[in-house]
Amino acid sequence: MNAKDPFGFEHTDNEMRLRDEEAKTKVLLLQETEVTKSLIKKAILIRLYKWLKN
């Protein structure tokens, strides 16, 4: 059975499932990247604070 994507192209169910999984993976990677950036910024600020305090 085929399904249509948002642009009107037909794909098999397996292709659509694969596309969904790829999209979910990309979102998770982006979220992990943002968390990592945030943790790095916090670590830098903590070290800067400790350095300025001494």
Side-chain angles (χ1 to χ4, degrees), residues 16-46:
M16 292 300 284
R17 205 171 294 117
L18 181 60
R19 292 176 87 171
D20 287 345
E21 289 299 319
E22 288 174 349
K24 288 176 188 174
T25 301
K26 287 178 183 178
V27 168
L28 289 174
L29 287 173
L30 286 173
Q31 289 173 342
E32 287 179 14
T33 301
E34 290 303 315
V35 169
T36 302
K37 285 181 187 177
S38 177
L39 290 173
I40 291 170
K41 287 179 188 176
K42 287 178 185 176
I44 291 170
L45 289 174
I46 289 168

